[in-house]
Amino acid sequence: KTKTQQATEITIKSSTILSEMTLGTVSGTAIGKNLKILPTGLSVHATIHNLSARILLTQRFYNNQDESLEISYSFELPSNAAVCSFQADIEGKVVKSELKEKEKARDTYDDALASGHSAFLAEQSEEGVFKTLIGSLLKDQEVLVQLQYVVELQFEGRDLLLSLPNDRVGGVGPNVSRYSDRFPTPRQVSFDHYSSSEVVGINATGDNCSLVVNKEKDGRTSVQVKLADESEEEVKIRITLKDPFLPTCDVEENPKGDSVTAAISFHPDLSKAEDDEEIFTEMIFLVDCSGSMDGKPIENVNSVLQFFLRSLPQTCYFNIIDFGSSVRKLFPQSRAYDDQSLKLAEASVNIKKADLGGTDLIQPLKEVFSTSPLKGFSRQIFLLTDGAVNDSKSSIKFVSKHAKSTRFFTFGIGSSVDRNLVTKIATESNGEAEFISSGKFEDVILRQLIRSMKPAITNLSLRVEGLEQGSFIVSPYHPPSIFSGDRVVTYVHLPKEALKKSNTFTATLSGLIGSTSFEQQVKVDATKSRKVEEKEGQLVNFLYGKSAIDDLEKGRSYLHNETGELLQGITAQRVEEEVLKTSLKTGILCRETAFVAVDERKVAAVCPPKLVKIELYKKPKSFPVQSAMDCSQIDACFTTESNCCDYEECEMEQSDFDGFTFEGFVYREPEPAKPVASPLTKLIQTQCAAGYFQESSLSFLGLTLGDLKQQLSSHDDNAKPTKHSLFNFLSQVFGKKGSNEESGKSEEILLITALVCAYLESKFSDDQTSWFLIVKKARNWIKKESQKLNIDQKLLETSASSLLSLCK
């Protein structure tokens, strides 16, 4: 409300939800009479330069009331968006805004309305949520509001992905029809694409639109998006580059001509490491064991953990930390994933209880971050909780500060979970959130595991050569790890005078993939910088401002050390001052600033307009999975039995548990397993940590090693196929004369593992989510062992499938 008015507030919540952004129409009731606001059109235009975009949203509003209105309009933008300009067109006059400190902008807006002027305000109300105020919109008056934001485009697979809002706009209520002819509700979506890389295709995703693509004389590609009449889904555009993994550079000179900014994008190809499961990562499971988890919830979480443990990559380290009012750790520090640590973990999960009282998340977070990640390893946390935790804001802030080195994948279990906490912890750390309310757990777990099992380049640093030290600013100052499929954009901002000696410099990104060094270099030529005439036409400079503000707010700036702590002598107030300074200097909206525009013409008498508050919310993602309180399907898929095999029979002695410091845990033989409805989990649990299966696994297939040999020997030699046939090949697997016993046993294990993979795919095709990662790990082991033994992997797997069908 303005200082001078006591307006009636009407809050209207829209049920229209889009995944990136929601714009739309509303209606409501105020003091017993219909209140209608008539948005009369939405247009979206994007300008793409290489891997970044500037997006202009134009929304029209029409006041069909008999009194003046003040409209408070809240909406969401993508989490990586930065608002860079805001203006209004009222009765043909364009009113441009000015970026000011938030309180000063609000005072300017209030004073304008109190004086009878039209005024417009845009501010960030919370992370990713923006609010605009349209003041003193008179009866039968229309206003056109334009908001511009910039984003770094992300890769999905090998394609760049551009998401554009597309909400149907139009009036709601009985009196709308009389305005519809005068004020149509068009939706216009278009974009221009400038690229220094070769583009091989531009396509729309889904059935809600089609594209009209034209190549213009100035080198840009212009695209008009034709929308389906009834579509309200966002528009997703895929831009396919010939070589998406080449590092790129985009240089821009600011309108004053006194500085340049280079945006350098690194998108390394880690697909081979991903295929080979060369995933050097530390995985820590934070498990809520508070009293509210007692009963079915903790039983189901234990089942989830069994699923997780069997799916981990061989190259990882892992740990399990239970939390409540206190903390309980499986290992003092994360341990290498092998058969012994796997069996210890499964034993602890089998007896895990919800016996830790309240729900304090800060203490286990401190336990995790008390040690740095292993050198060359990424660190990923899986948080499983069913309720609200103490001091959620501090928990989110704590996670954000360590996002450089650690990603969180969160699971909100049940209906009472704090959705904001679960979502924010994931997004602040570049992870993902899932919510479990009904259905099968396995689909949710598989999604998170696939997301997390990505090789990464860690310990990143950017080295700039060819410029004097201290003459430039780099953002992000402490770059986060790059995971397969992701890219990192680093900005180098410098005054023009720093280029007096040379117009070129090099930027080198270096890091580690496990123990292997990684390095990519880009040469930057400032003579090829794009000159921007108007402030609103900037792109790289705006994105640099967004990156610099994020650095300051998330503990990755030059004022912080690598762990996110402030440097000695630096105060939190200094950081806030730098955020405000950076926002005003670069023209990027932040939590401390706001855009304000005033139409100096007097448009109304000094009287309070009615305030209409429109809030459009984005709900956290929730998937229809089975209720956490009724998970009979999980019970049918998991068992407490645990078998772990090696080439030799794997038996655990009491001495194997020396140094096992799981607080309050005393090792004992597991209780007899409960009957299960399916042998699937028992078979899966015979897989060893490395990924292979042994002879004991054949019993779950109804076979023995003798059965396989008899099946082969029962065929007449004359009936056997040629040299590379099934039986000729399999005879090698069981060893020829002269082959040593150890080699023959290795070949047998190869065949058994291939048989189990074929059996899972044929017998349990409907339960793919339960064994997908199990088979993937097994096939990667087969691939490596086949190369060692000079065996054709494809022929081995084909032969195993054929042999399995003959044995049925």
Side-chain angles (χ1 to χ4, degrees), residues 681-700:
T681 299
K682 288 185 177 181
L683 173 57
I684 287 174
Q685 289 185 339
T686 64
Q687 186 181 39
C688 294
Y692 59 85
F693 292 87
Q694 277 206 130
E695 182 178 350
S696 58
S697 303
L698 290 176
S699 62
F700 294 95

Side-chain angles (χ1 to χ4, degrees), residues 516-534:
T516 304
S517 297
F518 165 86
E519 192 170 279
Q520 268 192 351
Q521 188 177 87
V522 174
K523 185 175 182 179
V524 180
D525 186 351
T527 63
K528 297 180 180 179
S529 63
R530 183 172 62 253
K531 293 179 174 58
V532 180
E533 300 298 330
E534 296 183 357

Side-chain angles (χ1 to χ4, degrees), residues 118 125 136 195 227 312 327 384 390 469 489-490 514 612 679 685 780:
S118 288
S125 57
S136 292
S195 179
L227 302 168
L312 297 181
V327 174
L384 299 95
N390 302 332
Q469 291 298 317
V489 182
T490 58
V612 180
Q685 289 185 339
N780 272 291

Side-chain angles (χ1 to χ4, degrees), residues 597-779:
V598 176
D599 184 355
E600 296 296 340
R601 298 174 298 175
K602 216 161 196 178
V603 297
V606 182
C607 61
K610 186 184 297 293
L611 176 62
V612 180
K613 189 176 182 182
I614 308 167
E615 294 182 348
L616 301 171
Y617 295 101
K618 173 183 173 183
K619 296 180 180 178
K621 293 180 180 179
S622 180
F623 296 92
V625 291
Q626 185 175 343
S627 169
M629 299 301 295
D630 180 21
C631 294
S632 56
Q633 293 185 43
I634 290 295
D635 294 336
C637 293
F638 292 94
T639 176
T640 57
E641 286 190 358
S642 173
N643 297 314
C644 180
C645 304
D646 203 341
Y647 289 168
E648 303 297 331
E649 193 65 28
C650 181
E651 296 182 357
M652 303 296 294
E653 303 292 343
Q654 184 60 42
S655 59
D656 293 326
F657 290 83
D658 292 344
F660 181 49
T661 60
F662 184 66
E663 184 182 342
F665 171 71
V666 178
Y667 179 74
R668 62 177 181 269
E669 291 296 326
E671 295 179 1
K674 298 178 181 179
V676 293
S678 168
L680 173 59
T681 299
K682 288 185 177 181
L683 173 57
I684 287 174
Q685 289 185 339
T686 64
Q687 186 181 39
C688 294
Y692 59 85
F693 292 87
Q694 277 206 130
E695 182 178 350
S696 58
S697 303
L698 290 176
S699 62
F700 294 95
L701 281 62
L703 297 172
T704 65
L705 202 56
D707 292 336
L708 300 180
K709 294 180 178 180
Q710 184 177 3
Q711 181 67 42
L712 294 176
S713 63
S714 65
H715 284 75
D716 184 4
D717 285 345
N718 296 327
K720 291 182 181 179
T722 57
K723 181 178 180 181
H724 294 294
S725 67
L726 166 65
F727 297 109
N728 205 16
F729 173 75
L730 290 181
S731 66
Q732 299 177 31
V733 173
F734 291 106
K736 297 182 295 184
K737 286 183 179 180
S739 67
N740 62 61
E741 184 177 347
E742 183 179 351
S743 173
K745 191 165 187 178
S746 298
E747 291 170 343
E748 286 179 3
I749 293 171
L750 263 175
L751 176 59
I752 291 167
T753 303
L755 281 168
V756 173
C757 289
Y759 179 78
L760 287 170
E761 289 175 333
S762 61
K763 180 72 173 178
F764 297 102
S765 57
D766 293 337
D767 295 307
Q768 186 177 4
T769 53
S770 296
W771 52 255
F772 176 80
L773 291 174
I774 304 296
V775 169
K776 183 180 179 183
K777 182 159 69 170
R779 287 230 160 93

Side-chain angles (χ1 to χ4, degrees), residues 374 462 464 747:
L374 297 168
L462 185 75
V464 177
E747 291 170 343

Side-chain angles (χ1 to χ4, degrees), residues 63-115:
N63 180 9
N64 62 351
Q65 296 299 292
D66 295 331
E67 56 193 319
S68 60
L69 296 177
E70 180 187 14
I71 302 172
S72 172
Y73 188 61
S74 297
F75 56 90
E76 289 184 303
L77 288 179
S79 58
N80 64 335
V83 175
C84 55
S85 74
F86 174 70
Q87 69 180 36
D89 184 333
I90 186 166
E91 294 183 342
K93 181 178 180 179
V94 176
V95 184
K96 291 192 175 183
S97 67
E98 181 183 357
L99 186 64
K100 294 184 176 183
E101 191 173 348
K102 184 174 282 187
E103 289 305 316
K104 292 180 180 179
R106 287 174 174 175
D107 288 343
T108 301
Y109 176 84
D110 289 342
D111 292 343
L113 260 63
S115 302

